[in-house]
Amino acid sequence: MCDQTFMAATFGPCDSCSKASPLMNIYIKSEAINYCSFCVEMMACQGLQKGETLATLKKESENLKKKLEEERGKLNDIELHQVAEKVEAVAALSLKTRRVLKGHGNKVLCVDWCKDKRRLVSSSQDGKVIVWDAFTLNKEHGVTLPCTWVMACAYAPSGCAVACGGLDNKCSVVPLSLDRNENLAAKKKSVAMHTNYVSGCSFTNSDMQLLTSSGDGTCALWDVESGQLLQSFHGHTADVLSLDLAPSETGNTFVSGGCDMKANVWDMRSGQNIQSFESHESDINCVKYYPSGDAFASASDDATCRFYDLRADREVAVYQKDSIIFGASSVDFSLSGRLLFTGYNDYTINVWDVLKGTRVSILLGHENRISRVRVSPDGTALCSASWDNSLRIEGTGPRGNPTHPAPQLHPPAHSGRSQSVPRADRIYSPSNKFLVFPWVFSQWEWLGKSSKGSALEPS
Amino acid sequence: MHIEHLLSISGVKLLASGERGEIFSFVLLLYNILSSDNITGNMTSNSNLSNMRRLVEQLKLEASVERIKVSQAAAELQQFCLQNAGKDALLVGVPTGSNPFREPRSCAVV
C-alpha cells in the first residue's frame, strides 16, 4: 500500500474544532495539519469548485495527457542512433576481473564507492554493512544492523560516514572512526523515518543532508544532524525503488523510479515534480543520471533499459535484445557516458554503446543475480554486487592491447539484425532461441579467450 | 459509512455503561482498522477527487515545460561523449603502469 499521506493514530485536540478525538496527521503542501476526521471531510468538501466532478476531471486529465504526447512527438525528428551513425564504433573492451571481495554471509544488495576512488561500502541481506579497501581487499569497518535486507547504502562525500537502510523503515548514518576497536553500531544514528522499507539513499553534496526513497511511495530529504524532515516528495503511486542525484555541483534535482513504471524528476527545494516519464512496461529498478546531467537511464523488470533526455523531454533510446528476457536490476554510465553497464537477473552484465544502442560486451562470472553495478568516481573500475555473496571489481587491460575478439562461431540465427557478440560459451536450445544460464562459468573472461569456450561450442 | 455508524452506536452504548477505558481502546482499535482500510464512504470519493485534481495540476505543469528538438539534444549528448572519451579508462584503457587495480607485484630489494 502506498501512503500518500502519513496517517498515524494520535489522540488529542483537533486544530480546527478543538475537540479531543483521534487525529489524522496529514500534510498539505508539506505542512503538518492535525485535524479530526470530521474536519478533514469538511475541508475536502470546501475545496470543490462549481461543476467539478470526478468525470470532468478525468476527461480533462485524458486530454492533457494526449496533448503532452503530441507536444513531445512534435520534437522527435530523428533517433539518437541515427545521429550517432557517423561516430566510430566502440573498440573491443578488455575488461578483466581485478578483485573479488568475499566476506558477506548472504546476498549483497547494494554497493557504493567513496570519493577517494578506492573504498567501497556494501550492504547485505544478513544486516551487515562492510567498508572495504578495494586495492588491498582489506575490510576496514563492519557494522551489524539489527534488521535484515539492508537494501540501501551510501558513502558520505567526505568519506567520514556511511548511511544504510532497509526493512527497518529507517535510514541510519554511521560515522566511521579510525579507531578499529570502537563499536560503530553504538554510534549509529537514525536519520530517516518512513512508513515502509527504505529502498535507496544518497547524500547530497554535503554530509549534512540525506535523500531517501521508500516503499511507501515517497522520497524525502533529511537533515542528518537533527533528523528533521526538510522536504518530502509525493507523486509516485507505488513503491519508489531507486533515486539518483543530478551530478552538477549546484544541481538541485534528482530522479526517482518506482513500481508504478514512472520515472520522475524532482526539484529538491520546492518538492515539485518537474518531469515524468512513463514508457516502461514494468517496475523500474534503477535510475542513473548521465554524467552531463542532461539525461538519465533506467533499468526495468521488462528486460529493457531506456535512455531519457531531459531537455527533449522524451525517451531517446531503448536498450533491448530478444535474447534478454530477464529483468535489469541496475545501470551505471562510464565516465564519458559512452558505455552503459547494466546488471540483469540472468547473472550477467551487459555493456551497451549508449549512442548507437548496440551491445558491446557481456561480462560473466557471477553465480547469482546482479543487484547493483557502480562505476568508480574516476571511471577506472566497475564494481558489481550480486546475490552470490560476493562483489567483483573489473578494470581494463593495458592501452593498445585489447584481447582479440572471439571468432564468429555459429552466431545464433535470431539475432541477425544486430551485431551479436559471438557466444562461443553459450549453450543453445535446439531452436536456437533460448540460452542456458552461464552459471557453469566461474571466471570473468572476455569471450575471446577460447580456452573456456571450446568445451561448450554448439555442435 | 457502515462502520462509522456501528462505531457511533456502540460508542454511545458503552458510554451509557460507564466503562471509559474500554471505550477509548475500542475507538482507537476501530479507528486503526478504518485508516488501514483506506477509509470508506465519503472520504474515498473526496480523496479521489483531490487526487484527480492534483493529477490535472501536475499534467498542466508538465505540458508547460520547455522542450528542444531530439536532434539537438542527441548532438549535444554525442559531443559530450566524444569530448570525454579520452579520459574514460573503461573505454580506452590505461597504461599498465598507472592502472590502480593491476596485479600486485612484488618488489625486489636491490
Side-chain angles (χ1 to χ4, degrees):
Chain A
M1 189 191 83
C2 153
D3 289 353
Q4 286 282 11
T5 55
F6 297 78
M7 294 211 207
T10 57
F11 196 83
C14 166
D15 280 355
S16 72
C17 64
S18 321
K19 269 189 288 181
S21 58
L23 298 176
M24 294 177 61
N25 312 74
I26 56 176
Y27 288 77
I28 299 186
K29 294 202 197 308
S30 316
E31 226 184 272
I33 295 186
N34 297 340
Y35 280 2
C36 64
S37 53
F38 183 64
C39 293
V40 173
E41 272 196 57
M42 291 295 292
M43 186 173 59
C45 289
Q46 279 159 16
L48 267 181
Q49 287 163 11
K50 258 205 159 68
E52 227 182 47
T53 62
L54 207 59
T56 58
L57 281 177
K58 220 177 235 171
K59 226 195 308 173
E60 202 181 340
S61 76
E62 296 292 314
N63 284 343
L64 280 171
K65 274 195 197 146
K66 237 185 281 176
K67 190 169 150 220
L68 199 63
E69 279 312 307
E70 268 174 34
E71 290 288 318
R72 284 177 171 171
K74 271 190 226 164
L75 296 165
N76 190 20
D77 48 352
I78 193 174
E79 298 282 321
L80 178 63
H81 60 87
Q82 287 170 316
V83 169
E85 257 163 12
K86 303 223 180 71
V87 178
E88 239 177 65
V90 173
L93 296 178
S94 52
L95 289 172
K96 247 184 88 167
T97 299
R98 297 290 173 179
R99 303 280 191 276
V100 181
L101 304 175
K102 290 202 215 267
H104 275 292
N106 214 320
K107 310 180 173 66
V108 186
L109 301 174
C110 186
V111 65
D112 192 25
W113 286 89
C114 178
K115 289 238 164 36
D116 70 357
K117 309 155 211 157
R118 63 185 280 174
R119 289 190 173 77
L120 297 162
V121 62
S122 62
S123 64
S124 78
Q125 188 202 334
D126 59 1
K128 289 220 169 33
V129 174
I130 302 182
V131 177
W132 312 79
D133 178 336
F135 290 0
T136 61
L137 291 187
N138 250 348
K139 294 186 197 41
E140 299 204 335
H141 301 95
V143 186
T144 306
L145 298 177
C147 76
T148 56
W149 287 90
V150 187
M151 292 181 254
C153 63
Y155 225 114
S158 66
C160 299
V162 292
C164 43
L167 276 191
D168 55 354
N169 298 1
K170 295 192 282 209
C171 193
S172 324
V173 173
V174 181
L176 300 173
S177 73
L178 293 170
D179 182 359
R180 286 187 147 265
N181 295 329
E182 218 177 324
N183 181 13
L184 287 178
K187 296 187 122 192
K188 175 174 71 100
K189 186 173 153 173
S190 283
V191 170
M193 305 276 192
H194 278 279
T195 52
N196 210 330
Y197 65 90
V198 171
S199 53
C201 67
S202 173
F203 281 91
T204 58
N205 289 329
S206 75
D207 274 19
M208 294 286 95
Q209 292 182 346
L210 184 68
L211 193 59
T212 56
S213 65
S214 164
D216 63 11
T218 66
C219 302
L221 181 65
W222 308 84
D223 178 77
V224 173
E225 200 52 53
S226 61
Q228 204 192 7
L229 173 68
L230 297 172
Q231 183 65 263
S232 68
F233 306 91
H234 300 255
H236 278 286
T237 50
D239 303 13
V240 183
L241 293 180
S242 169
L243 61 83
D244 187 38
L245 275 150
S248 82
E249 289 297 314
T250 54
N252 54 3
T253 60
F254 72 95
V255 62
S256 67
C259 292
D260 54 355
M261 308 188 276
K262 283 208 260 187
N264 290 340
V265 180
W266 307 85
D267 179 292
M268 277 204 281
R269 281 189 292 224
S270 65
Q272 190 70 255
N273 176 4
I274 317 173
Q275 285 168 291
S276 177
F277 301 90
E278 192 169 3
S279 65
H280 270 293
E281 292 151 20
S282 184
D283 303 351
I284 298 181
N285 291 319
C286 187
V287 287
K288 197 78 178 50
Y289 262 98
Y290 189 72
S292 71
D294 291 329
F296 70 93
S298 60
S300 161
D301 277 346
D302 62 5
T304 65
C305 295
R306 289 170 203 250
F307 191 43
Y308 299 90
D309 188 290
L310 293 175
R311 287 165 317 154
D313 192 33
R314 58 172 296 120
E315 168 195 294
V316 292
V318 184
Y319 306 107
Q320 65 185 347
K321 260 182 147 34
D322 288 346
S323 52
I324 301 176
I325 53 175
F326 282 83
S329 58
S330 180
V331 278
D332 203 357
F333 285 98
S334 68
L335 190 72
S336 65
R338 184 70 196 272
L339 299 173
L340 183 69
F341 297 94
T342 51
Y344 287 82
N345 294 343
D346 65 358
Y347 317 171
T348 65
I349 297 179
N350 289 329
V351 188
W352 301 85
D353 179 335
V354 169
L355 298 176
K356 290 191 186 282
T358 55
R359 181 170 60 184
V360 171
S361 165
I362 314 179
L363 300 175
L364 309 167
H366 273 296
E367 291 149 21
N368 207 323
R369 62 165 76 173
I370 315 287
S371 51
R372 185 71 56 126
V373 289
R374 277 284 172 267
V375 173
S376 70
D378 60 352
T380 53
L382 170 76
C383 179
S384 58
S386 160
W387 281 20
D388 66 1
N389 306 0
S390 72
L391 296 112
R392 286 182 186 248
I393 300 190
E394 285 86 53
T396 44
R399 194 176 279 168
N401 183 22
T403 53
H404 55 84
Q408 291 281 340
L409 287 168
H410 312 288
H414 65 274
S415 66
R417 62 175 164 86
S418 52
Q419 307 146 255
S420 64
V421 176
R423 294 196 197 85
D425 58 313
R426 300 289 178 110
I427 308 172
Y428 295 108
S429 75
S431 68
N432 255 356
K433 280 207 163 89
F434 296 99
L435 305 171
V436 174
F437 289 139
W439 54 267
V440 292
F441 297 92
S442 56
Q443 280 199 30
W444 288 97
E445 303 265 338
W446 169 241
L447 295 177
K449 301 236 171 95
S450 53
S451 54
K452 293 281 174 223
S454 52
L456 292 150
E457 278 170 20
S459 51
Chain B
M1 278 304 267
H2 180 59
I3 301 172
E4 280 167 333
H5 275 308
L6 268 177
L7 171 60
S8 51
I9 292 168
S10 39
V12 166
K13 279 213 179 118
L14 282 170
L15 255 174
S17 64
E19 286 153 296
R20 289 275 178 90
E22 272 189 38
I23 304 162
F24 182 75
S25 47
F26 183 66
V27 162
L28 264 184
L29 176 67
L30 274 180
Y31 180 77
N32 270 329
I33 297 169
L34 276 176
S35 21
S36 58
D37 283 353
N38 216 5
I39 310 278
T40 55
N42 278 346
M43 279 310 292
T44 316
S45 59
N46 281 338
S47 56
N48 271 353
L49 210 55
S50 49
N51 277 347
M52 284 307 291
R53 211 177 304 124
R54 223 179 299 148
L55 185 64
V56 168
E57 295 293 326
Q58 179 63 33
L59 285 171
K60 281 193 192 143
L61 192 80
E62 283 179 29
S64 61
V65 164
E66 293 230 346
R67 290 180 199 89
I68 64 173
K69 283 208 170 137
V70 173
S71 48
Q72 189 191 344
E76 294 191 20
L77 288 172
Q78 187 179 310
Q79 194 193 19
F80 183 87
C81 273
L82 297 175
Q83 262 174 352
N84 294 305
K87 296 186 239 158
D88 191 347
L90 291 170
L91 190 62
V92 298
V94 288
T96 333
S98 68
N99 188 351
F101 287 101
R102 65 178 180 277
E103 305 301 323
R105 265 165 242 163
S106 56
C107 309
V109 178
V110 176

